[in-house]
């Protein structure tokens, strides 16, 4: 199992930046994939960015060119640097960890952090 705690959300004006942080309760090298997802009320959670244990990164279409996912292995932290924010980036952002437990894949979620971008 793993516990995830997000921080760094808030209110920012369009064009501004935020950095989200996700603290994991275990070594992030033991987690196959760590990612950031966003969710609007009544909608499914969509991929923003993810990073594998090997360091491979992937981005959702809304994040490409503006957001960067990174990690600090020593601190068991994953970050999402968001630049050039737009009002449509407003959502709750969740950190997710995917790892196998007894050969079964499980997804673990943090509690989410609100990002609000004003126009």
């Amino acid at each position: 199992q793993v516990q995830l705690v997000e921080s760094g959300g808030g209110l920012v004006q369009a064009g501004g930046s935020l950095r989200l942080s996700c603290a994991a309760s275990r070594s992030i090298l033991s987690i196959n994939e760590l990612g950031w997802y966003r969710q609007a009320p009544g909608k499914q959670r969509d991929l923003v960015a993810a990073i594998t244990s090997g360091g491979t990164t992937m981005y959702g279409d809304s994040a490409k060119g503006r957001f960067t996912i990174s990690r600090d292995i020593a601190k068991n932290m994953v970050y999402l640097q968001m630049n050039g924010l737009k009002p449509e980036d407003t959502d709750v952002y969740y950190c997710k960890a995917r790892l196998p437990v007894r050969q079964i894949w499980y997804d673990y979620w943090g509690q989410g952090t609100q990002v609000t971008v004003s126009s």
Side-chain angles (χ1 to χ4, degrees), residues 9-111:
L11 173 64
V12 64
Q13 288 187 334
S17 299
L18 282 174
R19 189 177 81 154
L20 305 184
S21 300
C22 174
S25 62
R26 59 187 284 172
S27 170
I28 61 174
L29 292 180
S30 69
I31 300 172
N32 289 70
E33 184 180 296
L34 274 165
W36 289 96
Y37 288 72
R38 58 186 290 182
Q39 186 176 31
K43 295 188 177 182
Q44 68 179 18
R45 291 182 185 179
D46 293 326
L47 173 70
V48 178
I51 185 167
T52 68
S53 56
T56 300
T57 59
M58 59 201 83
Y59 293 91
D61 289 341
S62 66
K64 291 178 181 177
R66 298 189 298 132
F67 298 176
T68 303
I69 190 169
S70 63
R71 63 183 181 177
D72 186 326
I73 295 171
K75 296 181 179 179
N76 296 325
M77 297 286 292
V78 174
Y79 305 100
L80 183 68
Q81 179 67 44
M82 304 189 293
N83 298 328
L85 283 162
K86 306 174 184 178
E88 51 264 43
D89 293 320
T90 296
D91 261 335
V92 179
Y93 285 70
Y94 295 89
C95 183
K96 187 192 87 171
R98 169 163 286 193
L99 66 159
V101 179
R102 298 188 184 91
Q103 298 181 326
I104 299 174
W105 291 98
Y106 285 89
D107 290 338
Y108 298 87
W109 296 92
Q111 82 285 356

